[in-house]
Amino acid sequence: MKYITPILLCLLVTSCNKTDSSEDKSLEITPEKVETDLLNQIGQDYLIDDQHSYLGFKIKYFGYSPVRGRFNSFDGTVFYDTSNHASLCTTIFIDINSINTGNERRDNDLKREGTWFDATNHPYATFSSKRVVPKAEGGFELIAELTIKDSTKIIQFDFSEPTGISRDWAMNEQIDFEGKAIISRQDFGVYGGDFWSSVMENGLTQLSDEVELELNIHCRRPDYQARYDDMDSTDVRKTILGAIKLNGFEAALPIINEAFKKEELSSGGMSTIGYVLNEWKRYEDAVALFELKKKLVDENATVYTQLGITHLLAGNDSLAKSFFKNSYALDSINSRAILYSRLMESMSH
């Protein structure tokens, strides 16, 4: 899937100046409007929880009967300031092979090579926000680019007012978004043959060209300071953080290595320590922690993204850029690394 990366990055960072000539000029995007307030949100991104979110669609079959479906698997990241709808920015990768219409035979046909979604050659669709227009009555219009197969189009989502911030049992901040849009399936090359576009006696087509999209997005963001405050005094993570706070990372290194060797400290536990250090603005210690994690656990996309965010917080932009690049080189559908790369591109203009 690495071939996706250069094409996608080009799409994310250059399409802000482009609009299909056939589109309504009111949807045109100017560079100044794309990354509103993102500089204040470094390290404050929300992850889309695909287990508690819904990316669905509805299309009319034989003119009347609605067929509904959804995509069960996707990866998405959101920047959002609750006081300013215009700050919203998101990238979502949608796994086409996770399509679910409640009929396995139909799902297999929709994924079939050379037709419909052609999941073999186009395994992911991409949703990338471009601009937000707040509505006077509440909620907002989200202008976005949707890419399916080889087609990229500007679409407009109508979102209702997001929920307020709440917290779950794990100290995550939570927020939910709900929006709808209408698209043409044939604009995106989702075409299964002439039969499905043929006209019946009642004047309607066998399968409607119009598709209603529905998003119910549940986003969460861990509050690592709250997690630290909630830790028991015997928690090894709190012990390590205390040692770092008093005497620096090197003083805590023997404790970290021993705890990891005894399996008292996991990869997730190391991530929590690093993020708490970021909350404390101890970026040098956080970098050292994530570099150690990279050696002890695995050299993977997640730890490269963690290093990128930490360096960005510390003002080391060139290092941050290189780590994000390493991250999406390992995982070309890493929405977090892609969205941060998009943020850095906006910072350079």
Side-chain angles (χ1 to χ4, degrees):
M1 296 183 292
K2 291 182 179 179
Y3 68 90
I4 297 175
T5 301
I7 298 173
L8 177 61
L9 280 178
C10 180
L11 166 68
L12 290 178
V13 302
T14 65
S15 60
C16 304
N17 298 309
K18 300 177 182 178
T19 303
D20 190 317
S21 59
S22 65
E23 299 291 343
D24 185 344
K25 293 297 182 182
S26 67
L27 301 188
E28 284 189 356
I29 303 161
T30 58
E32 307 88 80
K33 295 182 178 180
V34 176
E35 306 292 354
T36 308
D37 293 339
L38 290 188
L39 297 181
N40 297 323
Q41 298 186 59
I42 298 171
Q44 301 298 312
D45 48 292
Y46 290 85
L47 302 181
I48 296 177
D49 182 353
D50 67 347
Q51 298 301 306
H52 300 95
S53 297
Y54 175 80
L55 269 62
F57 58 88
K58 181 173 70 174
I59 186 170
K60 288 183 179 179
Y61 175 66
F62 288 144
Y64 297 105
S65 303
V67 174
R68 291 178 171 85
R70 64 182 295 171
F71 295 95
N72 291 331
S73 179
F74 41 90
D75 179 272
T77 303
V78 176
F79 285 118
Y80 181 63
D81 177 354
T82 56
S83 66
N84 180 12
H85 291 334
S87 68
L88 187 146
C89 188
T90 184
T91 294
I92 307 173
F93 292 98
I94 304 162
D95 182 0
I96 297 299
N97 281 292
S98 72
I99 194 169
N100 179 5
T101 65
N103 183 300
E104 185 176 359
R105 181 178 178 181
R106 179 167 56 208
D107 293 344
N108 288 335
D109 185 46
L110 289 171
K111 294 182 286 187
R112 184 161 47 91
E113 185 173 5
T115 185
W116 298 110
F117 286 102
D118 188 11
T120 300
N121 296 304
H122 306 280
Y124 293 95
T126 306
F127 179 88
S128 179
S129 66
K130 293 299 169 187
R131 182 160 60 95
V132 172
V133 181
K135 296 187 293 187
E137 66 274 19
F140 55 87
E141 301 292 338
L142 177 65
I143 314 304
E145 282 186 342
L146 177 63
T147 301
I148 301 175
K149 298 170 75 171
D150 288 326
S151 299
T152 299
K153 301 290 180 182
I154 299 267
I155 63 173
Q156 181 170 318
F157 263 88
D158 181 16
F159 275 84
S160 55
E161 187 71 16
T163 65
I165 296 292
S166 62
R167 290 180 182 268
D168 65 13
W169 62 272
M171 302 290 181
N172 296 311
E173 293 184 357
Q174 303 179 112
I175 189 167
D176 290 80
F177 300 89
E178 182 176 343
K180 293 184 178 181
I182 301 293
I183 66 169
S184 162
R185 64 180 174 86
Q186 294 200 49
D187 279 351
F188 295 92
V190 181
Y191 179 74
D194 292 340
F195 169 76
W196 296 107
S197 297
S198 62
V199 179
M200 299 180 293
E201 291 181 358
N202 60 7
L204 300 174
T205 56
Q206 302 281 355
L207 187 66
S208 174
D209 184 41
E210 186 176 275
V211 182
E212 180 179 329
L213 305 181
E214 183 179 2
L215 302 182
N216 295 95
I217 303 298
H218 179 73
C219 301
R220 55 183 173 80
R221 178 172 67 196
D223 183 336
Y224 287 101
Q225 181 60 50
R227 287 190 181 187
Y228 172 79
D229 294 339
D230 194 55
M231 290 177 191
D232 187 89
S233 59
T234 60
D235 192 313
V236 68
R237 297 171 300 173
K238 198 158 195 174
T239 301
I240 292 167
L241 282 162
I244 294 174
K245 191 173 186 179
L246 285 175
N247 300 302
F249 180 78
E250 290 299 323
L253 189 54
I255 306 173
I256 296 172
N257 286 328
E258 184 66 17
F260 188 81
K261 183 179 179 181
K262 292 182 177 180
E263 298 185 351
E264 296 171 350
L265 180 64
S266 65
S267 172
M270 294 186 77
S271 295
T272 297
I273 292 169
Y275 285 130
V276 172
L277 291 171
N278 280 343
E279 290 289 319
W280 293 350
K281 298 184 174 14
R282 298 188 65 122
Y283 304 129
E284 187 175 337
D285 291 326
V287 166
L289 187 285
F290 287 130
E291 286 286 0
L292 178 62
K293 177 188 172 185
K294 181 158 65 77
K295 294 177 182 178
L296 292 178
V297 180
D298 193 11
E299 191 172 1
N300 58 33
T302 298
V303 73
Y304 277 122
T305 301
Q306 291 168 335
L307 281 162
I309 292 171
T310 303
H311 279 295
L312 192 56
L313 286 167
N316 303 322
D317 293 1
S318 60
L319 281 172
K321 187 175 182 178
S322 67
F323 280 115
F324 291 133
K325 183 177 180 180
N326 287 336
S327 181
Y328 58 69
L330 289 173
D331 180 4
S332 61
I333 58 165
N334 182 341
S335 66
R336 200 178 190 199
I338 292 291
L339 197 57
Y340 269 100
S341 295
R342 180 177 170 183
L343 169 61
M344 294 201 69
E345 182 67 19
S346 73
M347 292 167 61
S348 67
H349 286 88

